C-alpha cells in the first residue's frame, strides 16, 4: 500500500518591495543624499543640489535596461539624454520657459548596470494638474455654454475666479505656441508636464483678495497665478511639421478631457491664445481638426 503524496507547499511568501536602481557612485557620496521624487518607465527624478548646498537641482537618472543588449542600451541612453539636453538648451536660448541644463553624463556608471543622468534647474511650484485639481474641487461649476453672458447679479468673487482660470488657459496656450514657433514638439504634453512657477515670493503668495472670501482660513484657495514652465522633454523632438504640432495639442486636449473634465470646456481658451500667437498657428489649428477626426474614427472602430 502506497502512501499518498503530500501536496506541494504553496504557501505564498511576501515579496520584497522593489527598490529603485542604484545611482552613480558620485551621487551616493554627496551630502545630503538625493531624494527620490518620482519614478517613471524610463527614468527616475531626484531632488539634490548642484555645486553648493544652497542650489537645488533636479537629477534625472536613466538606468540601463537589463533586457537590452549592453551596446544598444548605451547608444539609446546616450541618444535620449543628448536629444533632451539639446532641446532644453534651444528652448532656453529662445526664451521658452524650461529648466536650465546644468550637467550631464550619458555613461554615468549607475551602480553595476550603467546608465546616464542629467542635472537641471529645480523648478519651484506645483504642476498645473495638481493646482487645477485642487482649485476646481473648491469652486462651483465654472464652465458655461459658449456665448452665455454672466448676469449682473453674479458676485465679484465668481468673476475673479473665472478670470483666473481663463488667464491660466491663455498662458498655457502661449507657452505651447512659443515652443512650437521655435520648431520644438514636446511629445507628451499633459498638465502633469506643465509647472506653475509662482511669481511672488512665498511670503506674499497668501495675500487676501476678494475671491479669497470663499476659502476657509485653514484651507486657503490655491493661486492660479505664475509662469508656465514646460518640463519632461524625454519624448521631444526638433520638428517643424504642422502635423506633429497638431498632435501635441490633441494630446493636451485629451488630457484635459480625461483629467480635468470640469475645465474641458475652457480648453478653447488655450486654442484661442495659441491661434492668436502667430500667423502660422492657424494652419496648426486647422490640422488639429483633421487629427481630431482621425481620433474619433479610431475610437469608433476600436
Amino acid at each position: 500500500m502506497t502512501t499518498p503524496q503530500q501536496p506541494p507547499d504553496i504557501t505564498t511568501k511576501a515579496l520584497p518591495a522593489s527598490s529603485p536602481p542604484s545611482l552613480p557612485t558620485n551621487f551616493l557620496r554627496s551630502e545630503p543624499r538625493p531624494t527620490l521624487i518620482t519614478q517613471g518607465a524610463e527614468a527616475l527624478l531626484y531632488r539634490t543640489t548642484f555645486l553648493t548646498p544652497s542650489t537645488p537641482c533636479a537629477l534625472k537618472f536613466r538606468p540601463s535596461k537589463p533586457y537590452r543588449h549592453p551596446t544598444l542600451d548605451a547608444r539609446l541612453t546616450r541618444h535620449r539624454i543628448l536629444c533632451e539636453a539639446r532641446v532644453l538648451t534651444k528652448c532656453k536660448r529662445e526664451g521658452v520657459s524650461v529648466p536650465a541644463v546644468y550637467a550631464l553624463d550619458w555613461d554615468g556608471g549607475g551602480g553595476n548596470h550603467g546608465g546616464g543622468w542629467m542635472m537641471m534647474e529645480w523648478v519651484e511650484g506645483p504642476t498645473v494638474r495638481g493646482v487645477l485639481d485642487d482649485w476646481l474641487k473648491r469652486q462651483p461649476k465654472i464652465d458655461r455654454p459658449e456665448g452665455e453672458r454672466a448676469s449682473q447679479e453674479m458676485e465679484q468673487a465668481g468673476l475673479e475666479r473665472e478670470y483666473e482660470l481663463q488667464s491660466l488657459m491663455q498662458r498655457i496656450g502661449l507657452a505651447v505656441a512659443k515652443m512650437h514657433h521655435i520648431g520644438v514638439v514636446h511629445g507628451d504634453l499633459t498638465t502633469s508636464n506643465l509647472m506653475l512657477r509662482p511669481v511672488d515670493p512665498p511670503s506674499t503668495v497668501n495675500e487676501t483678495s476678494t475671491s479669497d472670501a470663499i476659502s476657509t482660513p485653514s484651507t486657503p484657495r490655491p493661486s492660479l497665478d505664475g509662469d508656465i514652465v514646460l518640463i519632461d522633454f524625454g519624448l521631444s523632438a526638433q520638428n517643424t511639421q504642422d502635423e506633429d504640432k497638431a498632435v501635441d495639442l490633441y494630446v493636451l486636449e485629451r488630457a484635459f478631457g480625461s483629467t480635468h473634465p470640469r475645465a474641458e470646456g475652457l480648453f478653447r481658451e488655450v486654442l484661442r491664445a495659441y491661434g492668436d500667437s502667430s500667423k502660422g498657428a492657424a494652419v496648426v489649428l486647422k490640422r488639429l481638426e483633421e487629427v481630431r477626426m482621425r481620433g474619433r474614427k479610431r475610437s469608433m472602430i476600436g
Side-chain angles (χ1 to χ4, degrees):
M1 181 176 180
T2 58
T3 57
Q5 294 182 351
Q6 295 295 328
D9 184 8
I10 58 173
T11 305
T12 58
K13 297 181 179 180
L15 297 176
S18 59
S19 57
S22 176
L23 281 170
T25 307
N26 53 325
F27 294 110
L28 295 176
R29 295 173 179 173
S30 63
E31 291 295 338
R33 294 282 292 273
T35 303
L36 180 63
I37 303 299
T38 184
Q39 180 173 355
E42 291 290 329
L44 299 92
L45 184 68
Y46 293 83
R47 177 178 176 132
T48 183
T49 57
F50 180 69
L51 296 181
T52 64
S54 61
T55 306
C57 77
L59 170 64
K60 186 173 185 178
F61 174 55
R62 286 182 175 271
S64 65
K65 304 299 182 183
Y67 55 82
R68 288 198 294 236
H69 189 279
T71 302
L72 175 62
D73 183 71
R75 289 179 179 176
L76 286 174
T77 300
R78 179 180 185 272
H79 172 74
R80 290 169 179 172
I81 287 180
L82 288 180
C83 282
E84 184 172 3
R86 286 166 180 159
V87 167
L88 286 171
T89 302
K90 178 178 182 177
C91 289
K92 198 71 175 179
R93 183 175 62 246
E94 298 293 337
V96 180
S97 293
V98 298
V101 177
Y102 290 159
L104 61 86
D105 186 353
W106 60 79
D107 185 19
N112 299 323
H113 306 290
W117 55 266
M118 179 168 59
M119 300 183 78
M120 300 168 286
E121 173 189 5
W122 180 263
V123 180
E124 296 291 348
T127 63
V128 169
R129 175 177 180 172
V131 168
L132 269 181
D133 285 344
D134 193 17
W135 201 89
L136 290 171
K137 286 177 183 177
R138 303 167 187 265
Q139 313 301 329
K141 186 173 177 59
I142 294 174
D143 187 30
R144 301 195 311 265
E146 193 169 4
E148 178 184 358
R149 293 182 177 277
S151 63
Q152 295 182 352
E153 292 79 15
M154 179 176 287
E155 298 179 357
Q156 183 65 27
L159 289 171
E160 290 184 7
R161 290 196 303 269
E162 186 168 356
Y163 173 78
E164 281 188 80
L165 192 56
Q166 289 179 347
S167 175
L168 176 63
M169 299 296 110
Q170 292 167 4
R171 277 175 279 142
I172 292 174
L174 291 175
V176 176
K178 195 170 187 178
M179 176 186 66
H180 284 174
H181 181 70
I182 65 172
V184 171
V185 174
H186 189 278
D188 188 21
L189 204 54
T190 66
T191 51
S192 296
N193 290 331
L194 298 171
M195 300 279 295
L196 190 62
R197 179 162 52 194
V199 177
D200 296 329
S203 59
T204 61
V205 169
N206 293 328
E207 289 181 354
T208 58
S209 63
T210 305
S211 57
D212 286 333
I214 64 171
S215 301
T216 60
S218 58
T219 56
R221 177 183 56 82
S223 174
L224 299 183
D225 295 332
D227 297 328
I228 299 297
V229 182
L230 295 101
I231 63 170
D232 195 359
F233 283 75
L235 298 177
S236 63
Q238 299 190 43
N239 195 325
T240 58
Q241 298 295 321
D242 294 332
E243 172 78 10
D244 295 322
K245 296 176 182 178
V247 171
D248 244 6
L249 290 174
Y250 182 68
V251 170
L252 182 58
E253 184 177 42
R254 293 294 297 269
F256 264 87
S258 59
T259 312
H260 316 286
R262 288 182 57 191
E264 183 180 10
L266 288 170
F267 186 76
R268 59 178 175 266
E269 294 293 338
V270 175
L271 299 181
R272 183 177 292 119
Y274 185 96
D276 293 341
S277 63
S278 65
K279 295 181 179 178
V283 180
V284 178
L285 294 180
K286 185 176 180 180
R287 187 62 62 90
L288 174 61
E289 291 294 332
E290 301 175 9
V291 174
R292 284 170 173 164
M293 292 298 296
R294 294 202 301 269
R296 294 191 187 104
K297 184 177 181 181
R298 188 177 297 111
S299 300
M300 293 172 61
I301 296 176

